Amino acid sequence: MQFLANPARFLRIANALLPWLALITIGLFASGLYYAFLASPPDYQQGDSVRIMYIHVPAAWMALMSYASLAVFALMLLVWKHPLADVLARSAAPIGAGFTLIALVTGSLWGRPTWGTWWAWGDARLTSVLVLFFFYLGHMALTHAFDDATRGARAAAVLALVGVVNLPVVKFSVDWWSTLHQPASISRIGGSAIDPSMLTPLLLMAGAFLGYFLCLLILRARAELARRKLRVLQLLAAERG
Amino acid sequence: MNGFALLLVRDLRLALRRPADAAVAVAFFVVGACLFPFGIGSESQLLARIAPGVLWAVALLASLLPLERLFLAEAEDGALDRLALSPHGLMSLVLAKACAQWLVVGLPLLIASPLVALLLNMDVNGYGALLAALLLGTPTLVLIGTVAAALSTGARRGGVLLALLALPLDLPVLIFGAAAVQAALVGDPIGAYLQVLAGLLLGALVLTPIAGAAALKLALE
């Protein structure tokens, strides 16, 4: 972690990593989408609408993963004052919010034919993911709410850590309150409950989403670092008159 | 007298000199709840059914209203720096601020709630549960709001931001508070809901001073 504290070094490594990461992501997306839409069987109950799951489930996983990484960046910022943590948190929050929105929208699209409703307020998983989305929004709003950028980053980091209380609620909501949303079927005691023909596209898509997240994170962090450099140069130019 | 009590008495004295600030929150509570009969219509049965939820939602918003300026005066005139350096520490400041805020705003809301329940046509057997749930729930709302106020101190558009930060965290209180009243209205036992509300309050009492003090420390840098 200390090794990456130098932004130039981070950029060098990130730039070297990015093409490979992008290639792997494209490969995973291509194979995952092929399996998801063409090579996997329709569900015996849900029919073809089960294919929404290959987008929905990875997006929901990534929504949680992004928030967890946001909390780690927040901790890095507050405890070690790591110079890159602010850049990474700033870059990760909108991506995580995007994943959360995708999970909410695809879940709603899937719920309409399957449960007969777009949205169920009584379901704990749905509402807790909505709260997760609100936390992302609050984080982004707080980051940009101060004239002093470091102050905004620190305040948002405190909020990100406070919001961690919601993560176990999202994860275990289906076990604590068994309402509409089905409980976990992949990582559970006694092995997965999903047929391999459906598990393969799901895991491929999950890998693709993770790669996509990392690619976007690097791109956004790179843009943020460039923006800061530009700002310093502008200030210097203004000083010289 | 220890630091907590000193700060509490100071805040209460300041609030008593400007009683209008607390009165505004209560007025918002009553007027805000009255919007619903105007919007929905005077169908008394429908109003009675949505009364617990409306009461809780409006009480939540009213408790956020006066929080915007909670730490602003101290942050601007430099008192916050002195308080941070004092042996009492920022945690007792956060706790004292929250206590004073509850006494000045939360308690009047509690007292005004039967009136609003009456306006919304709520059944009489829900009143006890409403008061008990508000008694346990409003302190949690104020504690969470204090953290949000500390985080947004010095921000542009602090008030709106504060609401955006506090509302997601307030949801559990809203859910269990309204559920307690609903249960009482249909004659179910409410003990479990009150226990959850008490648990949330105890958790908030432990965690919010830590988060609030951390947030205030950022405002000082």
Side-chain angles (χ1 to χ4, degrees):
Chain A
M1 203 164 63
Q2 300 298 326
F3 178 70
L4 285 175
N6 181 344
R9 197 180 286 153
F10 167 79
L11 272 182
R12 230 178 14 252
I13 295 172
N15 281 337
L17 225 56
L18 189 60
W20 298 106
L21 214 52
L23 261 177
I24 294 171
T25 306
I26 292 168
L28 280 171
F29 258 123
S31 59
L33 286 174
Y34 169 71
Y35 273 107
F37 288 106
L38 299 169
S40 69
D43 189 75
Y44 81 104
Q45 273 181 327
Q46 302 166 20
D48 274 330
S49 65
V50 73
R51 299 184 199 283
I52 298 175
M53 285 298 110
Y54 303 129
I55 307 286
H56 173 75
V57 176
W61 284 345
M62 287 312 298
L64 288 181
M65 221 290 295
S66 310
Y67 199 89
S69 68
L70 195 63
V72 172
F73 298 147
L75 207 65
M76 278 163 65
L77 180 68
L78 290 178
V79 177
W80 293 289
K81 306 226 158 55
H82 196 281
L84 267 180
D86 169 23
V87 176
L88 289 174
R90 210 174 271 262
S91 313
I95 311 174
F99 281 129
T100 316
L101 194 62
I102 292 173
L104 284 169
V105 170
T106 52
S108 180
L109 288 173
W110 179 85
R112 182 66 201 162
T114 318
W115 295 336
T117 175
W118 296 106
W119 185 261
W121 281 109
D123 186 80
R125 175 57 73 79
L126 272 61
T127 39
S128 58
V129 172
L130 187 65
V131 170
L132 181 70
F133 184 59
F134 291 159
F135 271 114
Y136 277 119
L137 290 187
H139 186 277
M140 287 190 281
L142 199 56
T143 306
H144 297 286
F146 295 90
D147 294 323
D148 173 15
T150 20
R151 165 95 173 86
R154 301 249 173 93
V158 173
L159 181 74
L161 290 179
V162 169
V164 170
V165 293
N166 189 38
L167 284 192
V169 178
V170 174
K171 174 77 185 77
F172 297 111
S173 55
V174 282
D175 304 324
W176 293 344
W177 305 276
S178 52
T179 43
L180 212 47
H181 198 287
Q182 48 272 67
S185 49
I186 293 174
S187 60
R188 60 169 203 174
I189 302 161
S192 170
I194 292 189
D195 190 78
S197 67
M198 290 183 174
L199 194 59
T200 314
L202 195 58
L203 292 181
L204 283 173
M205 287 302 281
F209 270 57
L210 181 63
Y212 183 62
F213 171 75
L214 292 174
C215 286
L216 273 188
L217 188 65
I218 290 177
L219 283 173
R220 285 186 55 89
R222 209 164 69 175
E224 174 67 22
L225 287 170
R227 203 184 55 79
R228 289 187 180 188
K229 208 183 273 176
L230 194 65
R231 172 115 185 100
V232 173
L233 289 175
Q234 277 172 340
L235 285 175
L236 281 175
E239 212 167 71
R240 284 201 206 101
Chain B
M1 219 168 8
N2 63 13
F4 170 76
L6 277 172
L7 288 167
L8 181 62
V9 170
R10 167 184 168 275
D11 266 25
L12 285 177
R13 206 176 282 160
L14 282 173
L16 283 179
R17 289 197 188 137
R18 280 176 306 174
D21 286 11
V24 166
V26 178
F28 176 85
F29 180 47
V30 178
V31 176
C34 287
L35 285 180
F36 287 83
F38 284 116
I40 288 165
S42 58
E43 202 184 319
S44 55
Q45 241 153 23
L46 181 62
L47 279 179
R49 225 181 57 229
I50 62 166
V54 169
L55 263 164
W56 263 97
V58 181
L60 195 159
L61 292 175
S63 78
L64 288 177
L65 207 56
L67 286 171
E68 188 185 350
R69 302 199 52 82
L70 195 60
F71 295 106
L72 215 53
E74 277 90 350
E76 277 168 358
D77 67 10
L80 200 58
D81 297 84
R82 290 305 182 90
L83 286 166
L85 290 173
S86 78
H88 313 312
L90 287 172
M91 273 203 227
S92 64
L93 171 69
V94 172
L95 213 51
K97 278 275 183 190
C99 283
Q101 188 69 18
W102 185 75
L103 287 172
V104 173
V105 177
L107 204 56
L109 284 184
L110 193 69
I111 295 166
S113 64
L115 172 70
V116 178
L118 189 77
L119 286 170
L120 290 174
N121 221 353
M122 200 174 88
D123 202 63
V124 182
N125 52 23
Y127 280 45
L130 177 68
L131 286 174
L134 280 174
L135 186 66
L136 286 169
T138 44
T140 318
L141 297 181
V142 171
L143 282 166
I144 293 170
T146 308
V147 177
L151 275 175
S152 60
T153 298
R156 301 185 300 261
R157 303 176 303 277
V160 188
L161 186 67
L162 190 156
L164 184 64
L165 302 182
L167 286 179
L169 286 166
D170 282 344
L171 282 182
V173 183
L174 176 68
I175 292 169
F176 288 104
V181 187
Q182 293 280 17
L185 284 176
V186 297
D188 283 343
I190 60 165
Y193 298 107
L194 295 184
Q195 279 165 10
V196 172
L197 285 174
L200 289 171
L201 174 57
L202 291 176
L205 267 177
V206 176
L207 294 174
T208 52
I210 301 172
L216 280 181
K217 221 173 268 166
L218 300 176
L220 290 172
E221 279 173 13

